[in-house]
Amino acid sequence: MNEKNEQKKLDLPDSIDYVLLDEATIKAQVRQMAEEISADYEGIHNEDFLLIGVLKGSFIFLADLSRRLTVPHRVDFIALSSYADKAETTGAVRMIMDTRADVAGRHILIVEDILDTGYTLKYLYRLFDARQPASLRTAVLLTKPDRREVDVPIDYLGFEIPNVWVVGYGLDYADRFRTLPYIAALKPRVYS
Ligand code: 5GP
Ligand code: MG
Protein backbone atom coordinates (compact mmCIF):
# COMPACT_ATOMS: atom_id res chain seq x y z
CA MET A 1 0.00 0.00 0.00
CA ASN A 2 1.40 3.42 -0.89
CA GLU A 3 1.52 6.30 1.56
CA LYS A 4 -1.64 8.00 0.32
CA ASN A 5 -3.74 4.86 0.66
CA GLU A 6 -2.20 4.18 4.03
CA GLN A 7 -3.27 7.64 5.16
CA LYS A 8 -6.80 7.13 3.79
CA LYS A 9 -7.15 3.90 5.72
CA LEU A 10 -6.11 5.68 8.92
CA ASP A 11 -8.76 8.35 8.35
CA LEU A 12 -11.60 5.81 8.33
CA PRO A 13 -13.83 5.49 11.38
CA ASP A 14 -12.88 2.47 13.43
CA SER A 15 -16.05 0.49 12.60
CA ILE A 16 -15.47 0.76 8.85
CA ASP A 17 -13.89 -2.25 7.19
CA TYR A 18 -13.19 -0.84 3.71
CA VAL A 19 -14.56 1.69 1.22
CA LEU A 20 -16.65 0.02 -1.47
CA LEU A 21 -17.57 3.08 -3.54
CA ASP A 22 -15.75 6.35 -3.16
CA GLU A 23 -17.22 9.81 -3.58
CA ALA A 24 -16.08 10.32 -7.18
CA THR A 25 -17.40 6.91 -8.27
CA ILE A 26 -20.82 7.57 -6.74
CA LYS A 27 -20.96 11.05 -8.23
CA ALA A 28 -20.18 9.85 -11.74
CA GLN A 29 -22.77 7.08 -11.57
CA VAL A 30 -25.51 9.32 -10.15
CA ARG A 31 -24.79 11.80 -12.92
CA GLN A 32 -25.18 9.07 -15.50
CA MET A 33 -28.44 7.86 -13.96
CA ALA A 34 -29.76 11.44 -13.99
CA GLU A 35 -28.87 11.80 -17.67
CA GLU A 36 -30.68 8.60 -18.53
CA ILE A 37 -33.77 9.57 -16.52
CA SER A 38 -33.78 13.08 -17.99
CA ALA A 39 -33.68 11.64 -21.50
CA ASP A 40 -36.50 9.18 -20.76
CA TYR A 41 -38.79 11.82 -19.27
CA GLU A 42 -37.98 14.54 -21.82
CA GLY A 43 -40.87 16.94 -22.37
CA ILE A 44 -42.67 16.08 -19.14
CA HIS A 45 -44.54 18.75 -17.15
CA ASN A 46 -43.54 19.70 -13.64
CA GLU A 47 -46.80 18.65 -12.01
CA ASP A 48 -46.71 15.28 -13.74
CA PHE A 49 -43.36 13.90 -12.63
CA LEU A 50 -42.91 12.95 -9.00
CA LEU A 51 -39.81 11.48 -7.38
CA ILE A 52 -40.68 9.60 -4.21
CA GLY A 53 -37.73 9.08 -1.90
CA VAL A 54 -37.84 6.30 0.66
CA LEU A 55 -36.75 7.64 4.03
CA LYS A 56 -34.41 7.75 5.58
CA GLY A 57 -31.77 5.90 3.57
CA SER A 58 -32.38 7.54 0.18
CA PHE A 59 -32.29 11.19 1.24
CA ILE A 60 -28.77 11.94 0.01
CA PHE A 61 -29.13 9.90 -3.18
CA LEU A 62 -32.41 11.66 -3.93
CA ALA A 63 -30.90 15.08 -3.25
CA ASP A 64 -28.01 14.46 -5.64
CA LEU A 65 -30.11 12.73 -8.29
CA SER A 66 -32.86 15.34 -8.35
CA ARG A 67 -30.39 18.21 -8.64
CA ARG A 68 -28.84 16.54 -11.66
CA LEU A 69 -32.13 16.04 -13.49
CA THR A 70 -32.67 18.43 -16.36
CA VAL A 71 -36.42 17.71 -16.54
CA PRO A 72 -38.89 19.45 -14.22
CA HIS A 73 -40.14 17.33 -11.36
CA ARG A 74 -41.45 17.38 -7.83
CA VAL A 75 -40.16 15.59 -4.79
CA ASP A 76 -41.99 13.72 -2.07
CA PHE A 77 -41.13 11.15 0.58
CA ILE A 78 -42.45 8.03 2.17
CA ALA A 79 -41.07 6.51 5.36
CA LEU A 80 -40.96 2.79 5.93
CA SER A 81 -39.39 0.47 8.36
CA SER A 82 -38.52 -3.14 7.75
CA TYR A 83 -35.59 -3.49 10.08
CA ALA A 84 -35.20 -2.79 13.74
CA ASP A 85 -31.87 -1.25 14.71
CA LYS A 86 -30.01 -4.27 13.46
CA ALA A 87 -28.78 -5.76 10.24
CA GLU A 88 -31.47 -8.39 9.92
CA THR A 89 -34.48 -8.71 7.70
CA THR A 90 -37.89 -9.69 8.96
CA GLY A 91 -39.60 -9.43 5.59
CA ALA A 92 -42.28 -7.33 7.31
CA VAL A 93 -42.59 -3.78 6.00
CA ARG A 94 -44.30 -1.06 8.01
CA MET A 95 -45.35 2.40 6.78
CA ILE A 96 -44.43 5.23 9.11
CA MET A 97 -45.32 8.20 6.88
CA ASP A 98 -47.22 8.30 3.58
CA THR A 99 -46.60 10.73 0.70
CA ARG A 100 -48.35 14.08 0.70
CA ALA A 101 -48.74 14.39 -3.05
CA ASP A 102 -51.38 12.57 -5.07
CA VAL A 103 -50.00 9.68 -7.02
CA ALA A 104 -52.98 9.15 -9.32
CA GLY A 105 -52.33 10.23 -12.90
CA ARG A 106 -48.70 11.17 -12.22
CA HIS A 107 -45.48 9.63 -13.47
CA ILE A 108 -43.90 8.15 -10.38
CA LEU A 109 -40.24 7.34 -9.85
CA ILE A 110 -39.52 5.53 -6.59
CA VAL A 111 -36.03 6.41 -5.34
CA GLU A 112 -34.62 3.75 -3.04
CA ASP A 113 -31.18 3.39 -1.49
CA ILE A 114 -30.65 -0.35 -1.57
CA LEU A 115 -32.37 -3.54 -2.67
CA ASP A 116 -31.67 -6.51 -0.47
CA THR A 117 -34.35 -9.23 -0.27
CA GLY A 118 -36.62 -7.05 -2.40
CA TYR A 119 -39.57 -7.02 0.03
CA THR A 120 -39.46 -3.26 0.66
CA LEU A 121 -39.47 -2.23 -2.98
CA LYS A 122 -42.09 -4.87 -3.79
CA TYR A 123 -44.33 -3.42 -1.07
CA LEU A 124 -43.87 0.11 -2.44
CA TYR A 125 -44.40 -0.99 -5.99
CA ARG A 126 -47.72 -2.61 -5.11
CA LEU A 127 -48.76 0.33 -2.94
CA PHE A 128 -48.23 2.94 -5.66
CA ASP A 129 -49.41 0.73 -8.48
CA ALA A 130 -52.79 0.45 -6.74
CA ARG A 131 -53.07 4.26 -6.72
CA GLN A 132 -53.27 4.45 -10.51
CA PRO A 133 -50.17 6.42 -11.47
CA ALA A 134 -49.66 7.34 -15.14
CA SER A 135 -46.46 5.29 -14.95
CA LEU A 136 -44.36 3.69 -12.25
CA ARG A 137 -40.60 3.18 -12.31
CA THR A 138 -37.82 2.58 -9.81
CA ALA A 139 -34.36 4.08 -9.33
CA VAL A 140 -32.18 2.08 -6.97
CA LEU A 141 -28.66 3.07 -5.99
CA LEU A 142 -27.44 -0.33 -4.76
CA THR A 143 -28.49 -3.94 -5.16
CA LYS A 144 -27.30 -7.15 -3.53
CA PRO A 145 -28.36 -9.73 -6.14
CA ASP A 146 -27.31 -12.71 -4.00
CA ARG A 147 -29.85 -11.76 -1.34
CA ARG A 148 -32.92 -11.37 -3.57
CA GLU A 149 -35.99 -13.32 -2.43
CA VAL A 150 -38.73 -11.61 -4.45
CA ASP A 151 -38.58 -10.23 -7.98
CA VAL A 152 -39.07 -6.52 -8.46
CA PRO A 153 -38.25 -4.37 -11.50
CA ILE A 154 -35.30 -1.96 -11.32
CA ASP A 155 -35.50 0.63 -14.10
CA TYR A 156 -32.40 2.63 -13.14
CA LEU A 157 -29.60 1.03 -11.17
CA GLY A 158 -26.45 2.47 -9.61
CA PHE A 159 -24.30 -0.45 -8.51
CA GLU A 160 -24.36 -4.17 -7.79
CA ILE A 161 -22.61 -4.92 -4.52
CA PRO A 162 -21.68 -8.08 -2.61
CA ASN A 163 -23.54 -9.27 0.47
CA VAL A 164 -22.01 -7.01 3.11
CA TRP A 165 -23.68 -4.42 5.33
CA VAL A 166 -22.91 -1.02 3.85
CA VAL A 167 -23.15 2.46 5.36
CA GLY A 168 -22.62 6.03 4.21
CA TYR A 169 -24.20 8.25 1.55
CA GLY A 170 -27.50 8.11 3.47
CA LEU A 171 -27.25 4.49 4.58
CA ASP A 172 -26.99 3.75 8.26
CA TYR A 173 -26.34 1.21 10.88
CA ALA A 174 -28.54 1.95 13.94
CA ASP A 175 -28.91 5.50 12.56
CA ARG A 176 -25.16 6.08 12.45
CA PHE A 177 -22.74 6.69 9.55
CA ARG A 178 -25.35 8.27 7.24
CA THR A 179 -23.29 11.35 6.46
CA LEU A 180 -20.11 9.61 5.37
CA PRO A 181 -19.46 10.81 1.80
CA TYR A 182 -18.55 7.32 0.55
CA ILE A 183 -20.21 3.89 0.76
CA ALA A 184 -18.31 1.50 2.97
CA ALA A 185 -18.57 -1.99 4.40
CA LEU A 186 -19.02 -2.15 8.13
CA LYS A 187 -16.76 -4.46 10.12
CA PRO A 188 -18.80 -7.62 10.69
CA ARG A 189 -18.10 -7.48 14.42
CA VAL A 190 -20.13 -4.24 14.57
CA TYR A 191 -23.36 -5.83 13.35
CA SER A 192 -23.04 -9.51 14.21
P1 5GP B 1 -35.20 -5.42 1.49
O1 5GP B 1 -36.63 -5.21 1.83
O2 5GP B 1 -34.91 -5.35 0.02
O3 5GP B 1 -34.65 -6.68 2.10
O4 5GP B 1 -34.39 -4.33 2.23
C1 5GP B 1 -34.32 -3.09 1.79
C2 5GP B 1 -33.99 -2.16 2.95
O5 5GP B 1 -33.10 -2.78 3.89
C3 5GP B 1 -33.26 -0.97 2.44
O6 5GP B 1 -34.15 0.06 2.10
C4 5GP B 1 -32.39 -0.62 3.62
O7 5GP B 1 -33.11 0.20 4.51
C5 5GP B 1 -32.11 -1.91 4.31
N1 5GP B 1 -30.79 -2.48 3.94
C6 5GP B 1 -30.54 -3.63 3.28
N2 5GP B 1 -29.22 -3.84 3.16
C7 5GP B 1 -28.62 -2.79 3.74
C8 5GP B 1 -27.24 -2.43 3.94
O8 5GP B 1 -26.28 -3.09 3.52
N3 5GP B 1 -27.01 -1.27 4.60
C9 5GP B 1 -28.04 -0.49 5.07
N4 5GP B 1 -27.70 0.62 5.71
N5 5GP B 1 -29.33 -0.79 4.89
C10 5GP B 1 -29.62 -1.93 4.23
MG1 MG C 1 -34.29 1.96 2.27
Side-chain angles (χ1 to χ4, degrees):
M1 210 189 278
N2 65 33
E3 236 172 73
K4 203 171 157 222
N5 283 339
E6 193 74 63
Q7 186 55 46
K8 267 191 183 168
K9 186 106 187 159
L10 290 175
D11 286 343
L12 294 179
D14 187 45
S15 336
I16 298 300
D17 203 351
Y18 57 95
V19 174
L20 210 70
L21 301 161
D22 65 25
E23 226 176 322
T25 306
I26 299 168
K27 191 173 176 183
Q29 184 63 12
V30 172
R31 177 182 302 180
Q32 195 160 351
M33 292 174 84
E35 276 172 18
E36 203 185 327
I37 294 166
S38 298
D40 288 355
Y41 290 85
E42 180 79 59
I44 201 146
H45 289 286
N46 182 29
E47 311 82 70
D48 296 342
F49 188 21
L50 184 63
L51 305 193
I52 300 180
V54 186
L55 293 174
K56 300 180 203 170
S58 76
F59 81 111
I60 290 178
F61 174 43
L62 180 120
D64 284 349
L65 186 72
S66 69
R67 284 180 295 175
R68 290 249 171 236
L69 291 183
T70 55
V71 288
H73 60 279
R74 291 180 178 189
V75 169
D76 206 340
F77 293 97
I78 189 165
L80 298 178
S81 172
S82 53
Y83 292 69
D85 275 355
K86 47 188 193 318
E88 246 171 54
T89 179
T90 55
V93 181
R94 191 162 57 97
M95 195 200 295
I96 293 167
M97 183 192 81
D98 204 347
T99 58
R100 291 210 210 172
D102 252 341
V103 164
R106 294 215 164 95
H107 295 276
I108 304 299
L109 182 61
I110 303 172
V111 179
E112 174 65 309
D113 53 357
I114 183 166
L115 208 58
D116 189 34
T117 60
Y119 286 112
T120 307
L121 196 62
K122 184 99 192 169
Y123 169 91
L124 287 168
Y125 201 87
R126 285 209 185 119
L127 181 81
F128 292 127
D129 199 37
R131 296 177 179 179
Q132 282 146 352
S135 70
L136 182 58
R137 287 188 185 169
T138 61
V140 176
L141 183 64
L142 307 170
T143 181
K144 296 177 184 171
D146 291 349
R147 297 260 310 159
R148 195 65 28 82
E149 287 177 26
V150 286
D151 246 358
V152 49
I154 306 178
D155 295 291
Y156 306 98
L157 175 65
F159 305 93
E160 284 195 0
I161 62 164
N163 181 23
V164 290
W165 191 263
V166 291
V167 295
Y169 200 69
L171 292 126
D172 73 310
Y173 173 70
D175 236 3
R176 292 160 62 212
F177 310 110
R178 284 194 204 278
T179 54
L180 293 175
Y182 46 79
I183 292 171
L186 211 55
K187 282 180 183 158
R189 65 159 169 81
V190 180
Y191 60 85
S192 53

